[in-house]
Amino acid sequence: MRGRGWLKDIISHFVIVCLLGAALVVLYKKAMGTPDLKDKSWISTIFTVAAVLLALMVIIFIRQVFTRVRLERFRPGNPESLARLDRMRRFHLPERYQQLQETWYEARSDLCQFYIDKGWRPLKRKPFDVVLQRYRKLPSFGRAPYVDRLFIFYHPMLNVLIVDQTLNMCERAIRMSYKTAPAPKNMIVFLTDMDHAEEVTSAAAGIVNYLCRLDKKTSLYPLLIDFNGGKLYYPIDTTLVRKSHRLSFFKARVQLTRFVRKQIPKEMSLEEPMDTI
């Protein structure tokens, strides 16, 4: 999360980079204006190296600025932090998807069927809506075959505590079944239609802040569909997760987004019949 001195640090770093750049330009002009130094080859080499180092500092500064803005860790109990999270457009579906529960009555069963049609096999339910599993196309060499696991969890009064508890349950289930059904890639889809926007955003903070990594080879990627608010939340920082897992989770998120977008019925214009004489 952003500290109190976030803006002060950015400004101070910017000033330092500008001063170093200005000093380098002044020294270069003075060196080129001195006859004894102008023709020395090592002078050009020194200034070239200095310019490269300055360019690296500029790149690091720019990355630092964008990283601090993009990877903010949101505080569930802080209204200002939650307001920033609520305004982030990346999580917003188009406005017509708000109050989706009013038109998509069978969302939970349809979502389960969506994954079953893609080859996922339902295993058990409690305490989740359903737990699905899919075998991976990898040789097991005599060991238990690798699987992908998907949890679906609906709660009408979701909050950040329930999100944290559910993620902990998923982590325990993944570790307990690692010998019999090892699952390096795991996902959980949270569903809620609660109309209390602040509570939903607070719960979403637990999703957005989640780092997704259980250990070096195992990851858990949470998603939250807010039917009432028309939003789809997901973790911002997945840098600790293996690149292959990141790509797989990105594809899964895109597929889920497309599936949700298909649930709005097309508006049909009814043409009134013309009167005949």
Side-chain angles (χ1 to χ4, degrees), residues 42-168:
W42 56 270
I43 288 292
S44 298
T45 303
I46 290 176
F47 278 105
T48 300
V49 172
V52 171
L53 293 176
L54 181 63
L56 290 176
M57 290 183 64
V58 172
I59 293 173
I60 293 173
F61 168 74
I62 294 174
R63 288 191 61 183
Q64 183 183 28
V65 172
F66 282 98
T67 299
R68 289 199 175 192
V69 172
R70 185 171 59 89
L71 299 184
E72 175 184 359
R73 293 190 63 79
F74 299 94
R75 291 178 287 179
N78 187 310
E80 294 181 358
S81 182
L82 293 181
R84 286 194 296 271
L85 174 58
D86 187 62
R87 290 194 300 267
M88 294 185 71
R89 301 300 303 175
R90 65 167 66 189
F91 302 122
H92 288 225
L93 296 172
E95 187 175 352
R96 64 181 181 274
Y97 292 94
Q98 295 179 4
Q99 297 182 340
L100 191 58
Q101 71 274 17
E102 300 296 334
T103 55
W104 190 13
Y105 304 108
E106 303 296 331
R108 295 156 69 183
S109 59
D110 289 348
L111 186 61
C112 292
Q113 190 60 46
F114 167 72
Y115 285 110
I116 291 173
D117 292 342
K118 288 185 172 294
W120 294 82
R121 184 168 60 91
L123 297 179
K124 57 182 180 179
R125 294 185 176 273
K126 294 183 179 180
F128 305 94
D129 272 46
V130 66
V131 179
L132 300 110
Q133 186 172 284
R134 180 176 62 184
Y135 286 98
R136 302 181 67 180
K137 297 179 180 180
L138 292 174
S140 58
F141 300 108
R143 300 179 181 178
Y146 284 102
V147 299
D148 294 331
R149 190 171 291 115
L150 171 66
F151 305 87
I152 297 179
F153 180 79
Y154 166 80
H155 201 287
M157 300 294 290
L158 196 65
N159 57 50
V160 67
L161 295 178
I162 296 175
V163 167
D164 289 342
Q165 292 172 0
T166 307
L167 289 173
N168 288 333

Side-chain angles (χ1 to χ4, degrees), residues 108-269:
R108 295 156 69 183
S109 59
D110 289 348
L111 186 61
C112 292
Q113 190 60 46
F114 167 72
Y115 285 110
I116 291 173
D117 292 342
K118 288 185 172 294
W120 294 82
R121 184 168 60 91
L123 297 179
K124 57 182 180 179
R125 294 185 176 273
K126 294 183 179 180
F128 305 94
D129 272 46
V130 66
V131 179
L132 300 110
Q133 186 172 284
R134 180 176 62 184
Y135 286 98
R136 302 181 67 180
K137 297 179 180 180
L138 292 174
S140 58
F141 300 108
R143 300 179 181 178
Y146 284 102
V147 299
D148 294 331
R149 190 171 291 115
L150 171 66
F151 305 87
I152 297 179
F153 180 79
Y154 166 80
H155 201 287
M157 300 294 290
L158 196 65
N159 57 50
V160 67
L161 295 178
I162 296 175
V163 167
D164 289 342
Q165 292 172 0
T166 307
L167 289 173
N168 288 333
M169 283 193 298
C170 292
E171 292 175 2
R172 287 196 299 268
I174 293 167
R175 292 190 173 100
M176 289 176 60
S177 61
Y178 204 80
K179 290 185 178 180
T180 56
K185 289 189 299 183
N186 303 269
M187 288 179 55
I188 176 170
V189 180
F190 289 91
L191 309 172
T192 188
D193 51 12
M194 183 169 58
D195 60 358
H196 197 306
E198 290 184 2
E199 284 293 332
V200 176
T201 308
S202 177
I207 302 294
V208 175
N209 291 339
Y210 193 67
L211 296 178
C212 305
R213 173 169 168 161
L214 276 65
D215 56 45
K216 188 175 181 180
K217 296 182 179 180
T218 310
S219 53
L220 172 63
Y221 189 78
L223 295 161
L224 168 59
I225 302 178
D226 174 14
F227 290 103
N228 194 68
K231 298 172 185 175
L232 176 63
Y233 292 99
Y234 53 88
I236 290 181
D237 185 7
T238 57
T239 54
L240 297 179
V241 179
R242 302 173 73 176
K243 291 183 179 179
S244 59
H245 289 198
R246 268 184 275 171
L247 179 60
S248 177
F249 293 145
F250 174 76
K251 290 180 178 179
R253 192 179 82 227
V254 171
Q255 290 176 350
L256 179 60
T257 304
R258 289 175 179 172
F259 177 70
V260 173
R261 285 174 177 266
K262 291 179 180 178
Q263 306 311 313
I264 294 294
K266 296 181 179 179
E267 296 181 0
M268 300 179 62
S269 58

